[in-house]
Each structure stands twice: as structure tokens, then as C-alpha cells.
Amino acid sequence: MAQSQEPDDHLIERPLESTQVYRGHFLDVRRDLIALPDGNTSHREYIRHPGAVMVVPLLDDGRLLMERQYRYPMARVMLEFPAGKLDAGEAPLVCGQRELLEETGYSAAEWAYAGVLHNAIAYSDEGIHIYFARGLQRGEQKLDDGEFLEIVTHTADELDRLAANGELTDAKTLIGLLWLQRWQQGAWALDWQPA
């Protein structure tokens, strides 16, 4: 029996045809015909996404800068860390700095890259880069037209209780909280760099 070139060959699905079902302002919905590892075929529907950045902003007193924003698909106000989509060709750090300033009015003296999360791997290729920011300086908020949000602060313990009660459900914010807690416990490192 010949050895496979790829260690995961027995799991890989290969595209045969790709159809663009819908192209919007930034979402690209696809339906692909694929070859399964056993030789059969199937379809996969998924969303191509340009990617995004989320910022975990740490105030000097230990509280976290958060946003409350109405999210139309959820039909309710959600509590979340500041975030936004990457513009074409934009570096993730630049996006994080831009989004923090636009949405909250704050800039940061130091930044640390934590990693990337893939929040919907079954139907989207979106990757959200996670940054931490500290040494915050208040400036002027510069919201986009049609963007409405409220800035609030919470401690990590308050967010933990909201998550345990099912009130904090935003996936990226929950991952940001987990990363924060692991960093505070000394389990996960952050490499802080000046802005």
C-alpha cells in the first residue's frame, strides 16, 4: 500500500466546481461541488470573509473597555469588545488601532498580538485577529455613518459572571475573555510592543 503524500489526505475535501451565490458589500456566498475523501461528491455552502480584528482594551485600573451595540441578525443589543473588518490590504494591527479609535475614541501606547480565531469554521473562512491594548488615552470617537454604540466598562470578574449566566454570548468576546484570564494567570504570554 502506497503511503499518502499528505498526512490528512483521508480527511481532505477537494473542490470540483465553485458557484458564487451572492456577492454583497463584503460577504461572498459560495456553493461548491466537492469530492469527498471516499470518492463520492457533495456540496458545501460557505461565506468568504475579508477577516476582522478584535481589540481587548485594558484600562489602567484593570477594567475593560467594552461596547454595547444592536446586532440586527440577533435582534438585540450585544456586549462585545471593539472589533471591525479588515479593509483590503490593511495590516491587522493598523485595523485594530483604527477600530479602537473610531469606535471608542481611545488610542493605546502598547499593543500585543494574541492570535487568530476562526469563529464559524463550518460555514465561513473568517479569521478574527485578537489584539490587546493598554496605556489607553481618551480622544474623540469617530463612528461610521449609521453606526450606533454605547461605551461601557466591566471587570474581568463581571464579564465572567455575565458569561456564566448566558448574558455574554458573543464568541469573539468570550475568546478574548478566556485569553485575558489565561494571560492574567501566567499561562499564556503576550508580547507587548509600543504603538
Side-chain angles (χ1 to χ4, degrees), residues 118-137:
H118 296 98
N119 61 316
I121 59 174
Y123 62 87
S124 177
D125 67 352
E126 179 182 13
I128 302 175
H129 297 273
I130 305 168
Y131 280 91
F132 280 70
R134 67 183 179 188
L136 300 181
Q137 296 293 320

Side-chain angles (χ1 to χ4, degrees), residues 76 159-170:
R76 68 182 181 113
L159 292 180
D160 198 58
R161 282 192 296 277
L162 291 171
N165 293 337
E167 296 174 61
L168 174 60
T169 62
D170 175 55

Side-chain angles (χ1 to χ4, degrees), residues 26-114:
F26 71 97
L27 295 181
D28 178 1
V29 181
R30 300 277 175 158
R31 185 170 197 264
D32 289 4
L33 175 66
I34 61 149
L36 296 169
D38 66 2
N40 290 315
T41 61
S42 189
H43 286 92
R44 296 289 180 258
E45 295 174 353
Y46 61 100
I47 299 169
R48 291 263 182 226
H49 189 285
V53 173
M54 177 188 72
V55 181
V56 180
L58 305 165
L59 292 164
D60 290 342
D61 65 5
R63 290 176 301 136
L64 298 148
L65 198 59
M66 309 285 297
E67 299 175 357
R68 294 182 69 245
Q69 186 173 11
Y70 184 82
R71 293 300 191 173
Y72 186 82
M74 299 302 298
R76 68 182 181 113
V77 173
M78 303 290 287
L79 178 65
E80 54 193 294
F81 286 122
K85 76 173 184 65
L86 286 161
D87 289 339
E90 186 177 35
L93 176 58
V94 172
C95 177
Q97 291 169 333
R98 175 179 54 79
E99 288 293 339
L100 181 64
L101 182 62
E102 287 177 2
E103 292 185 357
T104 71
Y106 282 82
S107 57
E110 291 184 288
W111 290 80
Y113 183 70

Side-chain angles (χ1 to χ4, degrees), residues 1-10:
M1 183 172 186
Q3 188 169 355
S4 170
Q5 298 283 10
E6 296 288 327
D8 292 331
D9 252 0
H10 65 291

Side-chain angles (χ1 to χ4, degrees), residues 67-69 82-83 98-105 140-151:
E67 299 175 357
R68 294 182 69 245
Q69 186 173 11
R98 175 179 54 79
E99 288 293 339
L100 181 64
L101 182 62
E102 287 177 2
E103 292 185 357
T104 71
E140 185 178 332
Q141 213 175 13
K142 299 173 184 171
L143 296 175
D144 292 334
D145 289 337
E147 188 173 30
F148 303 93
L149 55 88
E150 176 182 80
I151 303 301

